[in-house]
Amino acid sequence: MAGTSIPSRVASLGTLVLALSLTACTKSFVAPPGTEKRTVVGALLSAEHRIMADIMTFGFPDQGMLRYREGYVLSYDGERRVPRWVAERLDRKRLEGPHSADGVVYRIDPSIPASLSSRSSDYEGSGYVRGRLAAAANHPNHAVALQQTFYMSNAAPQIGKGFRQNFWVHLERLVREWARDCDALYVVTGTLFAPGAEGGSVTYPVIGANAVGVPSHFYKVLLRLQGKGYDMRAFLVPHREVEPGLSPREFLISVDELEARSGLNFWSDLSEPTQAQLESATPGFLWGEPETAAVVPKPASEPGKSATEESPATPDEGCSGVPAEGSGCAEKPPAGCGEPCAGGCAEGCGEGCGEGCGEGCGEGCGEGCGDGCGCGGE
């Protein structure tokens, strides 16, 4: 489609609502002794505006219980005690370098009321692992951002072996590969609680003393910026064991369908023509496969950072089976390590904890796994 000039919007509804919300919050803010209230509040607003401008450039899927982190934005479901969605902006620079989650433990999110929080104890003996929607491997060399991915507010119950370890972690690696190969990749990852096959009311299992909801589906919706064009992919994955070797291609759906099923509105600040063209399509292939995706030209008035005219560099080998330089990974990732190629994984790390497994232990923890493996208490 030929690029056309579309008038830019003065302000998005999401930006306006956020500004009003933050203004209201300042009324009850108590500044530290000796500090001007306006200075502290100004710093708070500045930090959240910076994150909003960086990650939420194209609008908010909803205006729920929003929380702003160094590496992601969270919409929290207090009733089910899981994230509704998390949003991230990934690119080659963001993903530079190996990461290590050694010594990082799961913690209760201090910004979420205790009565609405899940705890590690809710997962014990449940048959589910703590599936983080914003992955630690998305934030190497960003210590605060990495640590914040271990907030319990970022975790939802996931089947370990057969879903997270065998499929979901593979999809996360693909997302990082795609992000390295474009100007920017905007990612929204979420949970879905859908009615059964016969329709009707939504019912779902719960685990632990805090009745943490177990999602029926998980999804990822991606907006890729490349040169002067946009492209989208959306994946909706039923939360059950996935057949080994099944490609994420089998779970592609249109963004329109995902919006209809989730009740959310993704990338709402894109122009209407761009949304209509991209969100109605259901591509039959993944980025990097032989087919060439149809890319919609980016009008000059669209939001987003200016894109380079140069072709992207070849993506890093990363976690595609060849270890990233300096990652410390074996040539063939050990079974059960979760995120072996993200760095810090000891050779021969087994299904459970194992010395040096780091990130892997957050994905498939064995009995008696210690605090140093990211599997400890609060």
Side-chain angles (χ1 to χ4, degrees), residues 36-50:
E36 287 289 343
K37 179 176 178 179
R38 61 179 177 274
T39 303
V40 177
V41 172
L44 174 66
L45 291 174
S46 176
E48 296 198 347
H49 284 162
R50 172 180 55 81

Side-chain angles (χ1 to χ4, degrees), residues 98-169:
H99 90 285
S100 173
D102 289 344
V104 182
V105 299
Y106 284 88
R107 302 182 185 279
I108 290 179
D109 187 333
S111 74
I112 302 294
S115 61
L116 302 180
S117 296
S118 67
R119 290 164 173 75
S120 289
S121 58
D122 292 318
Y123 288 78
E124 294 175 1
S126 69
Y128 296 95
V129 298
R130 293 160 294 193
R132 281 165 286 125
L133 271 60
N138 291 352
H139 307 283
N141 298 322
H142 299 270
V144 173
L146 187 149
Q147 291 168 8
Q148 289 178 343
T149 66
F150 282 85
Y151 280 162
M152 293 300 296
S153 60
N154 182 43
Q158 284 187 333
I159 297 168
K161 187 175 181 180
F163 182 83
R164 182 167 185 83
Q165 295 170 16
N166 298 32
F167 178 83
W168 191 256
V169 167

Side-chain angles (χ1 to χ4, degrees), residues 25-353:
C25 288
T26 63
K27 295 180 180 179
S28 59
F29 186 88
V30 179
T35 304
E36 287 289 343
K37 179 176 178 179
R38 61 179 177 274
T39 303
V40 177
V41 172
L44 174 66
L45 291 174
S46 176
E48 296 198 347
H49 284 162
R50 172 180 55 81
I51 295 168
M52 183 187 72
D54 186 44
I55 299 175
M56 308 310 297
T57 304
F58 298 98
F60 291 77
D62 69 8
Q63 289 293 332
M65 189 186 296
L66 300 176
R67 297 293 184 270
Y68 296 83
R69 308 295 177 225
E70 278 301 310
Y72 63 95
V73 174
L74 163 78
S75 177
Y76 188 68
D77 184 340
E79 178 183 355
R80 300 180 177 106
R81 294 167 177 79
V82 297
R84 190 174 190 199
W85 54 262
V86 300
E88 300 170 277
R89 181 191 185 277
L90 305 179
D91 57 27
R92 176 179 289 274
K93 183 176 181 180
R94 182 80 192 179
L95 295 168
E96 282 179 351
H99 90 285
S100 173
D102 289 344
V104 182
V105 299
Y106 284 88
R107 302 182 185 279
I108 290 179
D109 187 333
S111 74
I112 302 294
S115 61
L116 302 180
S117 296
S118 67
R119 290 164 173 75
S120 289
S121 58
D122 292 318
Y123 288 78
E124 294 175 1
S126 69
Y128 296 95
V129 298
R130 293 160 294 193
R132 281 165 286 125
L133 271 60
N138 291 352
H139 307 283
N141 298 322
H142 299 270
V144 173
L146 187 149
Q147 291 168 8
Q148 289 178 343
T149 66
F150 282 85
Y151 280 162
M152 293 300 296
S153 60
N154 182 43
Q158 284 187 333
I159 297 168
K161 187 175 181 180
F163 182 83
R164 182 167 185 83
Q165 295 170 16
N166 298 32
F167 178 83
W168 191 256
V169 167
H170 171 60
L171 178 57
E172 290 180 331
R173 291 174 189 153
L174 279 176
V175 168
R176 286 191 286 276
E177 289 179 12
W178 294 330
R180 292 186 181 103
D181 197 26
C182 65
D183 295 331
L185 189 66
Y186 291 83
V187 183
V188 178
T189 307
T191 58
L192 191 64
F193 293 82
E198 298 179 358
S201 60
V202 176
T203 60
Y204 51 89
V206 296
I207 62 171
N210 293 292
V212 182
V214 179
S216 63
H217 298 72
F218 288 87
Y219 66 82
K220 283 186 179 288
V221 56
L222 315 174
L223 173 64
R224 182 175 72 165
L225 274 64
Q226 181 58 50
K228 294 184 177 181
Y230 295 102
D231 200 5
M232 292 184 188
R233 290 293 185 275
F235 302 86
L236 181 62
V237 187
H239 188 203
R240 58 173 180 257
E241 290 192 11
V242 178
E243 180 183 340
L246 196 62
S247 170
R249 184 190 316 110
E250 304 302 319
F251 301 100
L252 283 166
I253 63 170
S254 71
V255 176
D256 278 346
E257 182 180 349
L258 182 57
E259 289 180 335
R261 299 190 64 173
S262 66
L264 302 175
N265 186 9
F266 302 104
W267 326 125
S268 57
D269 283 357
L270 286 173
S271 66
E272 292 295 338
T274 299
Q275 290 187 65
Q277 182 168 353
L278 286 177
E279 295 186 358
S280 61
T282 305
F285 57 92
L286 305 176
W287 290 318
E289 292 185 330
E291 295 89 342
T292 302
V295 177
V296 176
K298 180 169 62 175
S301 60
E302 292 281 24
K305 297 176 174 60
S306 59
T308 175
E309 297 290 338
E310 299 176 354
S311 299
T314 303
D316 296 340
E317 293 294 328
C319 285
S320 57
V322 180
E325 185 176 349
S327 70
C329 288
E331 182 70 19
K332 292 183 179 179
C337 259
E339 281 284 357
C341 286
C345 196
E347 192 168 349
C349 184
E351 192 80 6
C353 221

